[in-house]
Amino acid sequence: MKILACVFTLALAFGALASVPTEEGLLKNLNNAGIPGNLITIKAIFSGSSLGTPTEVESGKSDYYKFVLSLENPNAVTLLQVGYSNAQMLNSQVKDLKYIPDLLTAIKKEKSIDKGIFYSVLMMLATNRSQGVETFLEKSGVQVVKNKNILNEDKMKLLRAYRTYLSTTKGKGDASSPLNPPDPQNKAKVVELFRANTFQRSKNIELVKMENEFVWKVDWKIVQAYFSNEDRRLRKMEYINGELSSKLEANDYILFNGTNELPKFILMKDTKGQITKMQVLGLDTKTNREKKLFERFEEAKKTAPANAVEAYSFLF
């Protein structure tokens, strides 16, 4: 029983760690499971209107896209982006084709705010990596505070000591437990430290009400992001700099492959006021060689138009 009590208490401590949102933690898409493979394929349909009203979005043009992201190279995320004229998504229906060998480098070099938001968020949601959004924020003059810089080291030392105690004593007696010092004053200090936040709370994160729910708002000055309260899912990211604004909203997260989730709908309002709705049709993850991805690109390039017209301002 004592072992169970100790384990339960330790679990509460790490549960407290998870309950405190941090900038870096929110950007790692923690509600999503690990990716079971190195190749991620997202199928989606885009519909939009230059006039930018929701009704016109529903009745506007539609385009079909595949986003194939390779994680084989640990130092780079490779992107194959293919636009199609038909839902069958055959090579003969290719109308737009892009091959990005290093997505993060592309985000760093990209001058378009719309593209910066879309691809940094796509990278975060699909791969659970924060670097894309961090890079976009850095270009906007924002430095994301890393967890290691706001860690409560005194509490971590206490937890490590307690873990060592559990492994060496097997929970037999609690007289020597670092959580139970004999001196009452020391015990009070230990209890206070144990209950303290594992991370210092970020000054730019607060719980606010958005419509009929509470969400975590992160204020990065010209960039603001909103995450759901319990599961920390991204709900909205907005860039506002004078009269220039761009906004992305993510809604209705669901499991597509039984393991990983994506928002079913992503609504993008670009800097020109155009609203586009992206509906995710499918998500597939598997293990594959990046060489095969390049071969798929070369095969699709044979039928792709030489000078594809940019369909949406936020796509490469």
Side-chain angles (χ1 to χ4, degrees):
M1 290 299 292
K2 288 184 178 180
I3 295 177
L4 290 175
C6 291
V7 173
F8 178 71
T9 304
L10 191 60
L12 287 178
F14 285 102
L17 181 154
S19 67
V20 180
T22 65
E23 295 180 53
E24 185 181 9
L26 288 172
L27 295 179
K28 287 190 173 180
N29 200 30
L30 295 178
N31 197 64
N32 192 28
I35 310 300
N38 63 10
L39 199 68
I40 305 164
T41 301
I42 301 170
K43 295 181 180 179
I45 178 174
F46 288 81
S47 56
S49 168
S50 60
L51 297 179
T53 65
T55 301
E56 288 156 344
V57 169
E58 295 297 333
S59 60
K61 64 180 181 179
S62 295
D63 295 291
Y64 299 87
Y65 275 85
K66 277 184 186 177
F67 300 91
V68 186
L69 299 101
S70 173
L71 310 180
E72 183 183 359
N73 183 346
N75 299 315
V77 176
T78 300
L79 171 67
L80 172 61
Q81 175 181 299
V82 190
Y84 300 88
S85 59
N86 193 284
Q88 293 174 297
M89 299 188 183
L90 303 176
N91 276 356
S92 60
Q93 299 164 343
V94 172
K95 57 185 292 186
D96 183 33
L97 187 64
K98 299 291 191 307
Y99 182 78
I100 312 296
D102 187 340
L103 181 56
L104 185 59
T105 297
I107 293 172
K108 287 180 180 179
K109 294 180 179 180
E110 181 55 55
K111 296 181 180 180
S112 165
I113 298 300
D114 300 324
K115 291 183 175 68
I117 288 183
F118 180 78
Y119 286 101
S120 62
V121 170
L122 180 70
M123 183 175 174
M124 180 187 77
L125 294 177
T127 70
N128 300 339
R129 300 186 182 189
S130 62
Q131 293 94 329
V133 176
E134 289 178 9
T135 295
F136 173 72
L137 291 171
E138 288 172 4
K139 291 170 60 178
S140 303
V142 177
Q143 192 73 36
V144 172
V145 178
K146 297 293 187 178
N147 287 349
K148 64 181 181 180
N149 295 328
I150 56 174
L151 191 64
N152 186 335
E153 287 293 348
D154 290 335
K155 180 173 181 177
M156 293 307 298
K157 289 178 182 178
L158 176 63
L159 292 178
R160 284 192 289 267
Y162 185 47
R163 183 172 58 184
T164 300
Y165 157 77
L166 287 177
S167 63
T168 56
T169 66
K170 308 299 181 183
K172 296 179 181 179
D174 57 0
S176 60
S177 170
L179 299 184
N180 189 34
D183 182 73
Q185 290 186 343
N186 288 339
K187 186 172 183 178
K189 292 179 180 179
V190 166
V191 170
E192 182 180 358
L193 180 60
F194 187 76
R195 292 176 177 173
N197 288 334
T198 305
F199 295 103
Q200 301 172 28
R201 185 172 292 277
S202 300
K203 296 180 180 180
N204 62 331
I205 299 179
E206 61 176 331
L207 193 64
V208 300
K209 194 168 186 179
M210 186 173 70
E211 296 178 353
N212 61 346
E213 67 173 327
F214 284 98
V215 297
W216 291 105
K217 175 185 177 182
V218 190
D219 188 354
W220 287 301
K221 302 304 181 182
I222 62 175
V223 179
Q224 296 182 341
Y226 300 82
F227 299 81
S228 57
N229 180 19
E230 297 295 332
D231 45 36
R232 312 298 198 247
R233 290 167 171 162
L234 176 69
R235 296 294 305 280
K236 180 169 66 173
M237 183 173 291
E238 189 168 17
Y239 175 98
I240 302 177
N241 188 8
E243 297 182 354
L244 191 66
S245 66
S246 183
K247 180 172 65 176
L248 181 150
E249 295 183 12
N251 300 299
D252 298 338
Y253 283 75
I254 60 175
L255 291 177
F256 282 91
N257 62 346
T259 302
N260 301 109
E261 67 175 27
L262 281 177
K264 185 177 181 181
F265 299 104
I266 293 178
L267 199 66
M268 186 76 191
K269 184 176 182 179
D270 67 16
T271 50
K272 296 180 180 179
Q274 177 175 338
I275 295 178
T276 304
K277 183 176 72 174
M278 169 184 173
Q279 179 178 344
V280 177
L281 303 175
L283 169 68
D284 179 56
T285 55
K286 59 184 178 181
T287 300
N288 206 340
R289 302 292 294 176
E290 192 164 303
K291 180 180 178 181
K292 292 186 177 181
L293 181 64
F294 186 74
E295 291 172 353
R296 288 171 61 180
F297 164 69
E298 290 295 324
E299 183 64 27
K301 190 168 66 172
K302 296 177 182 178
T303 57
N307 298 305
V309 179
E310 182 182 89
Y312 303 97
S313 66
F314 55 89
L315 293 183
F316 289 140

